[in-house]
Structure formats: C-alpha cells, structure tokens
Amino acid sequence: MSSELRYTANTQLEHLHARYTGTGHADLTKYEWLTHQHRDTLASIVGHPSLASYLAIADGEAIGRVRFEMTERMLQPCGPPPAKDD
Amino acid sequence: MHLYNLTLQSPTAITHAVAGNFSGSRHQEIIVSRGTRLELLRPDVQSGKVATVIASDVFGSIRSLAAFRLTGGTKDYAVVGSDSGRIVILDYDPKTSSFVKVHQETFGKSGSRRIVPGQYLATDPKGRSVMISAVEKTKLVYILNRDAAANLTISSPLEAHKNNSIIHHIIGLDVGFDNPMFAALEVDYSESDQDPTGEAFNNAEKMLTYYELDLGLNHVVRKWSEPTDPRANLLVQVPGGQLASSDRYDGPSGVLVCCEDHIIYRHMDAPQHRIPIPRRQHPLADHGRGLIITAAVMHKMKGAFFFLLQSEEGDLYKVTIEHEDQDVKALKIKYFDTVPIASSLCILKSGFLFVASEFGNHYLYQFQKLGDDDNEPEFSSTDYPSFGMADPSFALPHAYFKPRALDNLTLVDEMESLCPILDSKVMNLLPNSDTPQIFAACGRGARSSFRMLRHGLEVEEVVSSDLPGIPNAVWTTKLKEDDPFDSYIILSFVNGTLVLCIGETIEEVQDTGFLSSAPTLAVQQIGYDALLQVHPHGIRHVLSDKRVNEWRVPQGKTIVAATTNKRQVVVALSSAELVYFELDLDGQLNEYQDRKAMGSTVLALSIAEVPEGRQRTPFLAVGCEDQTVRIVSLDPESTLETISLQALTAPPSAICIADMLDAGINKTHPTMFVNIGLQNGVLLRTVLDPINGQLTDTRTRFLGTRPIRLIRVQIQRNPGILALSSRSWLNYTYQNLMHFTPLIFENLDYAWSFSAELCPEGLIGISGSVLRIFQIPKLGTKLKSDAIPLSYTPRKFIPHPANGLFYLIEGDHRVRSDAASAQAIDDLRRQGKMIDEETVDLPSEVFGRPKAPAGTWASCIRIIDPVDAKTVNVIPLDNNEAAFSLAIVPFAARGNELHLVVGTAQDTFLAPRSCTSGFLRTYRFTEDGHNLELLHKTETNDVPLAVMAFQGKLVAGVGKALRLYDMGKKKLLRKVENKSFSSAIVTLNTQGSRILVGDMQESVFYAVYKPPENKLLIFADDTQPRWITATAMVDYNTVVAGDRFGNVFVNRLDPKVSDQVDDDPTGAGILHEKGILAGAPHKTQMLAHFHVGDLVTSIHKVSLVAGGREILLYTGLHGTIGILVPFVSKEDVDFISTLEQHMRTEQLSIVGRDHLTWRGYYVPVKAVVDGDLCESFARLPAGKQSAIAGELDRTVGEVLKKLEQLRVTASGF
C-alpha cells in the first residue's frame, strides 16, 4: 500500500496501528520490523513461565532476574535506530 | 496415526502463590498456580503439613494471580490473568470443593502477547477494583462491587493505556477509602526509538506513575508521574489509609520501589527514603554485580506491618518503616534468614511462611520470632544524608551482612517438586520389579538431585518385629464399639492363634476368651462390647464379662470361609452350605433356621459393613469353586435367596464388598463395589446395584502373579481396599475420586487396619514371619521418588549397557567450581586478606554459590549407582570446561571396547554461543565402570552439544557441523563432516546408517552415512522451523520431537523416499537432487501435533506395563510426565474424539481459554486427543455425564470404563 493511500483512502489504518502496537505496514523499515520482532520475543519469554525457567537454568540466573533483564532489553533490543538520510 | 495424550504427573513447579481465606472459614488457604494448573493448598495449623484440597487443570497458561476481598466481606476471591485474553474471578466453593468462575470478561486476543493484558495484576486493598496489565502499553481497570443480592459484580473495563511504554510492574496503593490508586513502573521508548545517537536511550527514565480511579466519574486519570531509579524492577505496597474508628493511620501509604542494590520508599508529595540492599560478605562475591529483589511480601499485624523481601540469592530481608501518621521517619532493612529462591512468598496469619521455590521442592516455615532483638546489623535511611537521597544517581556505599543458618524460621513441611526435569530415562533396573522406573535428573544448582520415580504410594514403616512362626493372617480389634483405638492384635498360625495386647508395649495375653489351639478365620468386634472369633470348628462369641457362647460345627464338617460385620456373620461349611447369623437386640447371636446349599465349594465370602442407622446389610457375595460369584440376599423377606450370578474366568480367591465414594459414578453417596480377586492375579471390580442386586460395570485389572487377597481397611476414616498379590495395591477415595495404586513396600501376605495412639491411621501387615506396622503418608500421589543429591545442575545422563551404572554430566553457568573457588580463596589468603571462614564454609545446598561473571563454569561427570541410590564417583572438570553431551561408544577400532565420550567446551558464552575451544574427552572405563581414565582430548572449534555412538564410531554435532570420528591413539580422528546445518545440532538419533539430527531452530534433518563414498548426506528435512529440545525415533521413518514452546509432534518420511535413499549405494542420487524450499530434496510430513504446555525435555519410546504396548513418554521442564498412547482401533479413535468434542463444549477451562486453541497454540492440534480433558468427564455433573454418554450411544459407566481402560493398559497408573 502506498503511503498516499494510507493517508487518504484508509484513514482508519493509522488508528489501527496506534491501537495494535507491533502491526506492520508497507513503509516499515528493517530496523522497525526487527525491533518489533525482538520486543515480541522478549515479551513472550516474560509471559511464558516455562520459557523463562528454561533461560534461567541455561544462564544460571534467577527467574526474576531473567524477566527483569528481558523487560529492560525491550527498551532498545536492537541498538539505536539508523541515522535518517534526509 | 492417532495418539492419546495423558498426563501421569502434572507439573510440580509453582509459578505463583497467593494466600487468603478462600473458603470463607477462619483458616487461611493458599492458591497456587502450577503454570497450567490451579491448586488450593491448606496448611494445617497444628501439624504444619500442607495438604492439597483441590487441583484443577485450566487448559491455559496462568501468568498472574491475585486475591482480593470486598469491603466487609469474609471471603477472598482469586483473580487470574492468563493467556486467554480474559480476566477471570474465581470463587472457591467449599461445598462442592471446586473453583467457580464468578466472572469472565474478555478484553483481547488469546495468547501471551506483548500488548494483551494478563501479565500483571494489581488489586485495591479494599477490594474495590483490579488493574490488569500487559508488558507494554495496555492497562485495564475493572471496578468490583456488590449488587443488591450481595453478589460480586464487575464493571466494563476502563483504559489506562500509555502508548510506547514498557511496564515493569504494577501494584495497588493502600489509600484507605479514598479513590483507588494504582502505581506502575513504566519506561517510554518512543524517544529512544527515534534517536540515532543513542542519547535518548541513555537518558530514558523509568517512571513511577500513579493512576487514580475516580469512582465518582468512573474514569482513570494519570495522577502523578515521577522518574525513579532506572534499574527499578519491583513495587511493593505500603499500608496506608485511616481507620474508620480512630484517627490513626495504618501506615504512610505509598510504595517501596525495589531497584538494583537499593530500596526506595516513594509517595506523592513525600520525601523519599533510600537504603541499600545488604550483600553477603563473601570473599569471592562480585562486588560490581547488582543485587535485585525478586520476591516480596507485606504482612500487616495489629497496629504494625513489615515486609519480607527476597533477593535473587535467596536471602530474606525484613524491611520496616518508622512513621508518624503519614510521615515516614525512617526506612530500615536487616537480614532475616535464607531460604530457597522463591517465585512467590506467602505469610499466613497463623505464623507460617510458604516459600514456593522457583526450582525444586517447596517449603513451609514457621516463624519463631520476627528478628526484633537480634544482633543483625540494621541499615536505616536516617544513617545517610537526606535519607539516602542526597544524590540519587550515585549508589549508596555497600552494606554487608553475614549469612547464617535459619534463626527466625524453622522448617515444618516440604512439598516435593521435580521441577526442572532436565533429562530422564525409563528402565527397569530394580530386582523383583515387573514395571520400569523413571530416572530423572532434576533441579538446579546445588539443590539438584537425581531421582528414581516408581509408580506407587510411599509407605512409612512405624515398627516391625519378628514373630516365632509364620502367621497366615492378622487382625486388630477394639474391645468396645466406641473405643478410639484398637486393643488386640490377633495372629493366626497353622495350628493356633496368638493374641497380643496393645498398651505401652505390645505383649501376649492369655485370658481373652479366644481359642488359642486352632487357627482363626475371622475376628470381629460385635455388638456394643463383645468379640467374635471364627475358627474351623465353630464360632466363639466372647462377651464383655469373658463368658463365651460357642456355636459348634456339626461333626465331620469344618468352616472354610467366613465373613463378618458388626451385626452379621456368615460362614461357609466344607459341605458347601452357608450358615447365617444375626445379632438380635439383646446382643445374642442367632442362627437363621435354614442353611443354604451352594452346590459347589465356597472359596470366598463377603458382606459389607452395616450401613449407618440400619440393622443389616442386605447382600452377601459368595465365590464358588465353579468359577462363579453369586449375590445372596440377607433381607429378612428373602433370606439366603440367590439374587444374581456372575461367571468368572478363574476360581475366585477373595471377595470384598465395600461402600466407597466415587464421584465419577455417584457424586453424593458411596457406591457399593464388589471386588473379586481371582486365583490368577486378576481383580474384577463390579458395581452392585442396591435395588435389584445385579452386578454391573465390571472392570478388570491384573495385579500380580499370586492369588489375590482382599482386605477392607480404613484410609483416613474412609473405607479402602487393600489388594495383596505379588504386589500390594491400595484402592481408596481421594478428593472424591477413586484411586488404585500399588504400595512401594515389601510383599504382604495379609494385612489389617491398625489404630493406636502413636499411629492412629496405620495398617498392620505380615510378610513372611515379620509383623509390620506402617502408614501411608501421601495419599493422592502416584509416583514415589528417591533422590540422590548432586552438586551442579544436571544436563544429561546415560546408562551403561552392562554394569547398571549411570553416567551423568553436571554444569552450572556463572559459578566457580569448588576447586577453583578454593584456589581463589587460597590466593586471597596468601595476599594477606582476612577470610571469614564461616561465610566460606556455608553449605551451598542452602546458600547457593557466589555468582561469578558470565563465561565461568563449574562442571563434573558423576557416576551413579541407581539401585543403591548413591554416587559412586565424581570426576570434576578443570580449566573452566563445562560438559554438554555424552555418549558410550563401542569403538570398532578398539575391538568394540566401550568408551565414554564427553563433549565439553572451555570458556563458553551462551548468547551468542562461543567458546575458546570445544573438546571431545574420551574416557576408558576402569574398575568395572566405577572409575574413568582419560585417554585423550580432541579439540573442536565449537561446542559439541550432541554426541552419539554410530557403527563403531562416534558421531558428534559440533555447532553447525555433523562429524564422524574414529578412535585414534592420541586423538579422535575426524573421518567426514557435513557443515550444512542451520544453527546448532542439539539431538542425535540413529537406526542403521540413518542419522536423525535435531537442530536448535530448524527441526529434524534426516541424514545418511554412505560408507563407499564416505559421505554424510542430508536427504530430508521439515518444512517448519522448530526449536528442538528432545527427539526420539518412533520407527525407521518416524520421529517424535518436542520443542521449546511446549509442543510435541510426530514427523514421518515417505517410505518410498526412504527405500530409494537406502537403495542408493553411493548417495550420488541425493547429492544431485534439487533441493526444495532452500533445503533438502525431500520433506517429512507432520502426522501429529499437540501443545503440552510445558517445555519438553526428553522423550522415550517405552512400555510401562509388563507385556504392554509401547508408548511415548515425555518429561517437561516444570515437572510434567506425560504419555502419548497410540490408539489400536478406528472405533476407539472415533469414540474418544467425539467424547473430546463434547467435553470441549463444556468449557471446562477456569481461565476461559478455548481448549482447541490452547492445544493448538502454535500449530493446530492434529491427530492427538487430550486425555486430561476426557478424564475430567468423571468430574462433570451427573446430568451432563448422561447427556454426553447418550450422544455417544453408551452409558456413563461404559464411557468411564473406556477411559480407565485406556489409562490402565497404557501406563498401569
């Protein structure tokens, strides 16, 4: 979908994106996509008890520590965004 | 292929626990979440034992749990946040003993998603509202109230969303009866997402935000938001609010913000107080490493309150706040005690602390004191300038304490937990056992254990003593009807009877009125205060004044069988006649005028106990030599008339009628069961219809090789049946359902109930010439475990094919090995540092080991004798090496001598995976396998995560490469390699020249070794990416595997492709075939798929019953043990899947998760029927049961029988 369409024909889409964080769109950059992916994964680890336990055992940390570090990493999971060209 | 999934052992880990008065009585209970199960535990205030009251599968994943109580109420409700996209309020109904879903409000999609609430729950302390939040953005507030009929109501949700913000924690503030307020710990990422310089990221602030629910406006407003410590992770509620009766404030209100190294008291418009979290003063502790609080609990007492916070090392701290009304004067912290690291802590008003451990057993402690007047150093915010907040960006100086053994708490009870099961094997190693045992490597760190699990109930022997001869039966009896305990033990020998009196000691008595010169057939306390002895030549009725009324058998006849209860006696004579006696109102035993001729020798007799308030039981069961069982009436109107007859497959050896409650058959009244033991070791259980006396619903079970003996016993004041064959089994009612479980104990020849002051609920039994008094402490359990302690987290183990020993590798990340830490401490000593010996010598099972930086490993190889349950030898690994895989390999180059190959790596980092060097350590077995001799170490360039014996050589998965090694003099010699695997090889299986390779992320590859060309070729793979954790070969073409997200699935290769690959001698065909979808030329097909809900750590193809079919057994990380049973017939598949469909529509999930989407969480469920759901048919109300059974064209009994049969034939459980 072109950006033009997005702003004219389907004004609701903007609203939907705001509502459903993590939904992709046509102009998504690689960085944004990757950040979404990582945040989803990290949230999934925090949200599934067995996955959090698994990582805690592998890493030799307490589950609480694993959850905390995963949530912390959600702030910026893939480093700073690339500089814009324009 | 169709499979039936059945959980043998549900998860034992506890992920959340919350205390409250859920049943509305004065006693407090604990609701625990076991990930996919909800349980109500009741700690006994007197004995301190924790009992499970109910357990309920929720068919969903529980993510959060909270309790609340409406203002003025006496009963707590539980709120559950799960992956169902719904908030559920549960009420425990003590009458039906079940959780009742009071409200279920849908707010979003199902699944554990980033912006769907369910991760965090916070309740208002006055029970007026609840907030449910996601990890990001979404927060919903529900208002709770009562309607006119005092029922709980819930409002539609109010939003308190904040875009682009990550939520760390939420909590309900205690504000008394002001508008409810919630505090949240949030970080906004919108700026750091836009700033390429990274400055915004570095300056990102963690905000403590208050949300106020305006009850008048029905609206949530962001009341206050202030930055706090950027490493804050947890909020704790501080009591507040004014009492209605007085002007006093309960507390200052506000929150404790637990941060790395600090705890801050925070409230709107109030000064902050900051204190450091005290650390252990261990010489090897990494002082640069932060310390966080992972669990917290607040406890309010009359006029006071305190907090117990637990650090990630397990240390509990007591935190107190000194305040004058709403002004905080000081925040204080001191070390309290050390307990295992908890996922949740609960303090009960009765003075207990429940610690739900994140790994390993759970504990109940009792408070001895509250640490008020001890010498522990206390750290107060007043000791620091501006209450510790002079410069919030700088850390306060470290505070230290000395860890010590428990001082304020004492341990009162322990609940077993297998979590985590990291590897398992199923083998029959015990002598005299006809069923296999499950060997499991469990636990984490220094609290790890190696366990042997056996199907059966644990038996605790109280006392045992040798007897002069070999008795053939034993009884105990009271003297009077209302005696609390038994007085006599009667032992029957071949030629006599011995009576023992139970007093301070147990000794022989003479003048009991019992005939001692003949064996005894039955003993009964009859009437109010008389005793009865049946011997081959008569019946002796011993009155309380020791007068004896004797009934004698006619000349030339003897009594061959007898059965008695409090009012009735039936004996069978050698002439195949039945004689019936009944007690009249004067306490006289009267013979019924007629005798009944049976026509065939009577082998067994049984009558039930006299029902409460009745004169007699109306039925007698008679087992005859002509392989029949007849039900004979004892009703006065039709005395000794035969009512019904059942033919048997073998002569009966014992019969036992018992009234037992089985909610599957009748929810409210006990059902009369006729248990018939046959001489060939088969037990038949039939239901006796109380109206017409017909026998229906026969279920059979093979108990053992000896003729069965059946004894009616008392189990926790309920009737139970002990069935003795070559194994002893106990049939009893637990949580309203019938259980049938073997006892793990010596073979018993005879047994009886035993009740004395010291052992009120025991059993007495004879095995050979030994008299044993024992009790069964843990009813309801199916597996008994015997544990051997380990030093580090077990990773994998392998059995030796010949000597019955296990070889186990252990390894812990971020831990120094014992040798390395001793060395480091010695170095410090040499540098002249003072070492506190007490701290260094603390037992690591309790206190753990000091954390070392990432990349540090402690590891060893352990040799275990599983039968004697002991460690034979431990071989520690040095140089920071850690073991990851092992195999026993018969190297063809060494004449098939067995060698142990252990894959290790040095200085391993996990993410991204790296090591300075991997090694394949080759050991030779010495001293008959009790020791190992290192032959050589072969370097590898990556971590060898999987090794396996293959055609007299070794095949190893080293990172992405699959390699074949042969034995050499100084090293293993690499023969061939295939490097085209995608992430890392984690599992290997083989049959013939085929190797099945499980990849960490890309499912299972089928590879083949072609010796003529010396090539390892991949010829088939999977179309789906799978994060493999465990695999097993079902047959040559089929593989079953478990993945990291809790799925199990079966993949099969087309047999044509399989033949084609096998027929190709050089593999040239495969080599030149075109790959499909950027992978191998052939694809496997998925046959079955199922979401277990627990991460699968091992799978085996085994047979659990002697001579039974092979099934798939899997273990899960949280302690689950389950089986997948292949269906034998199409009819079974149709029947059970239709039943499953009906059960699904019953909406049993108490968290509101749709069953079909739960079992098809990641991939739609395929060809697997959920047996746990089907078995909950027994718990449905009778009306629903018969409706479903009607739809299936069966009776309820037939459906239950089919379900039991599936379980018993597959697992024996």
Side-chain angles (χ1 to χ4, degrees), chain B residues 149-178:
Chain B
N151 293 319
L152 175 69
T153 61
I154 190 165
S155 71
S156 37
L158 303 168
E159 292 184 354
H161 300 341
K162 183 165 185 295
N163 272 335
N164 306 328
S165 71
I166 293 154
I167 301 155
H168 277 261
H169 201 224
I170 59 169
I171 197 84
L173 280 173
D174 192 349
V175 289
F177 286 102
D178 291 346

Side-chain angles (χ1 to χ4, degrees), chain B residues 2 4 1127 1130 1132-1148 1154-1156 1159 1165 1167-1177 1180 1184 1187-1189 1191-1192 1199 1203:
Chain B
H2 259 83
Y4 182 69
F1127 279 110
K1130 189 81 177 62
D1132 279 5
V1133 176
D1134 290 344
F1135 173 64
I1136 295 290
S1137 354
T1138 327
L1139 175 66
E1140 189 193 25
Q1141 260 173 39
H1142 285 292
M1143 291 303 297
R1144 268 187 199 134
T1145 57
E1146 294 300 327
Q1147 290 285 345
L1148 286 158
D1154 179 52
H1155 180 263
L1156 196 60
R1159 291 307 185 188
V1165 57
V1168 183
V1169 177
D1170 184 0
D1172 299 339
L1173 180 75
C1174 293
E1175 288 197 341
S1176 55
F1177 178 78
L1180 284 182
K1184 279 191 175 155
I1188 292 177
E1191 295 267 343
L1192 295 165
V1199 175
L1203 291 172

Side-chain angles (χ1 to χ4, degrees), chain B residues 317-591:
Chain B
Y317 304 99
K318 184 182 173 188
V319 174
T320 47
I321 294 178
E322 257 175 41
H323 66 105
E324 273 172 24
D325 285 346
Q326 286 184 293
D327 301 327
V328 173
K329 297 294 174 200
L331 177 66
K332 291 179 174 175
I333 189 167
K334 71 200 271 193
Y335 171 63
F336 192 70
D337 263 340
T338 302
V339 298
I341 305 169
S343 57
S344 285
L345 297 169
C346 297
I347 297 180
L348 303 179
K349 291 206 173 78
S350 42
F352 291 101
L353 173 71
F354 180 69
V355 177
S357 312
E358 55 172 29
F359 297 112
N361 295 358
H362 314 294
Y363 297 92
L364 186 73
Y365 295 92
Q366 189 161 27
F367 285 96
Q368 295 301 309
K369 51 191 168 72
L370 291 176
D372 288 328
D373 346 280
D374 51 14
N375 299 325
E376 279 307 325
E378 190 169 45
F379 303 93
S380 166
S381 57
T382 52
D383 301 345
Y384 302 95
S386 347
F387 302 124
M389 290 304 287
D391 190 347
S393 55
F394 277 90
L396 296 172
H398 282 171
Y400 291 101
F401 70 91
K402 240 176 90 173
R404 48 159 168 74
L406 287 182
D407 183 32
N408 296 305
L409 301 167
T410 46
L411 181 64
V412 286
D413 197 18
E414 184 169 1
M415 287 176 83
E416 284 232 337
S417 169
L418 300 178
C419 168
I421 303 183
L422 295 161
D423 196 9
S424 74
K425 295 279 177 291
V426 184
M427 300 174 85
N428 188 3
L429 292 180
L430 286 184
N432 318 323
S433 167
D434 51 357
T435 52
Q437 302 88 46
I438 302 169
F439 296 91
C442 304
R444 211 271 287 267
R447 295 177 65 225
S448 312
S449 58
F450 179 83
R451 300 192 191 217
M452 176 169 74
L453 305 171
R454 278 184 284 171
H455 175 217
L457 278 169
E458 191 179 333
V459 172
E460 207 176 82
E461 187 171 276
V462 181
V463 66
S464 72
S465 72
D466 282 314
L467 295 169
I470 298 179
N472 46 33
V474 62
W475 295 268
T476 58
T477 182
K478 303 170 182 176
L479 294 181
K480 289 199 193 102
E481 198 175 1
D482 49 6
D483 279 354
F485 301 118
D486 291 325
S487 298
Y488 288 161
I489 298 172
I490 297 103
L491 291 162
S492 166
F493 296 87
V494 182
N495 53 2
T497 295
L498 185 70
V499 184
L500 305 172
C501 180
I502 309 167
E504 297 270 296
T505 57
I506 293 178
E507 51 197 27
E508 192 179 341
V509 279
Q510 301 291 351
D511 55 341
T512 53
F514 279 36
L515 183 70
S516 61
S517 59
T520 302
L521 293 171
V523 170
Q524 173 74 42
Q525 194 279 315
I526 195 160
Y528 174 68
D529 56 1
L531 295 176
L532 187 96
Q533 181 194 19
V534 183
H535 57 89
H537 301 289
I539 300 174
R540 286 170 77 89
H541 187 193
V542 185
L543 303 179
S544 55
D545 52 7
K546 299 275 186 290
R547 274 188 299 133
V548 176
N549 295 333
E550 184 147 6
W551 177 85
R552 287 189 176 279
V553 179
Q555 274 296 324
K557 296 178 187 173
T558 51
I559 297 176
V560 290
T563 178
T564 59
N565 64 25
K566 281 217 163 84
R567 305 199 59 86
Q568 294 160 288
V569 179
V570 184
V571 296
L573 303 183
S574 51
S575 55
E577 283 172 310
L578 291 183
V579 190
Y580 175 51
F581 300 86
E582 205 175 294
L583 207 64
D584 65 15
L585 295 172
D586 306 325
Q588 287 293 323
L589 205 57
N590 294 326
E591 187 185 344

Side-chain angles (χ1 to χ4, degrees), chain A residues 18-22 31-32 35-37 39-40 43-44 46-51 53-65 67-69 71-72 74-76 80-84, chain B residues 15 61 63 112 114-115 119 135-137 163 166 168 187 189 192-196 201 206 230-233 260 289-290 292 312 358-359 420 444 813-814 851 910 1029 1044 1095 1117-1118 1161-1162:
Chain A
R19 197 177 156 93
Y20 299 108
T21 313
Y31 172 79
E32 284 169 339
T35 306
H36 278 319
Q37 287 285 312
R39 285 196 181 126
D40 283 342
S44 174
V46 172
H48 288 98
S50 54
L51 261 183
S53 308
Y54 192 62
L55 293 189
I57 293 165
D59 204 17
E61 292 279 17
I63 297 177
R65 171 64 87 164
R67 285 224 172 93
F68 173 55
E69 296 298 347
T71 322
E72 282 284 282
M74 282 178 74
L75 176 58
Q76 197 167 78
K84 288 202 177 90
Chain B
T15 57
S61 166
R63 298 160 72 197
S112 248
R114 195 166 130 202
I115 56 156
Q119 184 63 36
V135 185
E136 186 179 319
K137 177 184 157 185
N163 272 335
I166 293 154
H168 277 261
V187 189
Y189 65 71
S192 28
D193 262 9
Q194 300 303 323
D195 179 17
F201 169 70
K206 200 168 269 177
R231 296 285 284 172
N233 69 317
E260 203 163 42
R289 191 187 147 91
I292 62 167
E312 56 186 322
E358 55 172 29
F359 297 112
R444 211 271 287 267
H813 189 209
R814 296 181 197 269
K851 286 265 187 312
L910 291 171
T1029 51
R1044 202 178 274 197
L1095 195 150
L1117 194 72
H1118 278 172
Y1161 202 136
Y1162 296 90

Side-chain angles (χ1 to χ4, degrees), chain A residues 1-14 25 27:
Chain A
M1 193 189 302
S2 72
S3 60
E4 196 185 325
L5 246 176
R6 207 147 60 86
Y7 292 117
T8 55
N10 203 346
T11 46
Q12 280 189 335
L13 199 67
E14 185 94 315
H25 54 80
D27 297 335

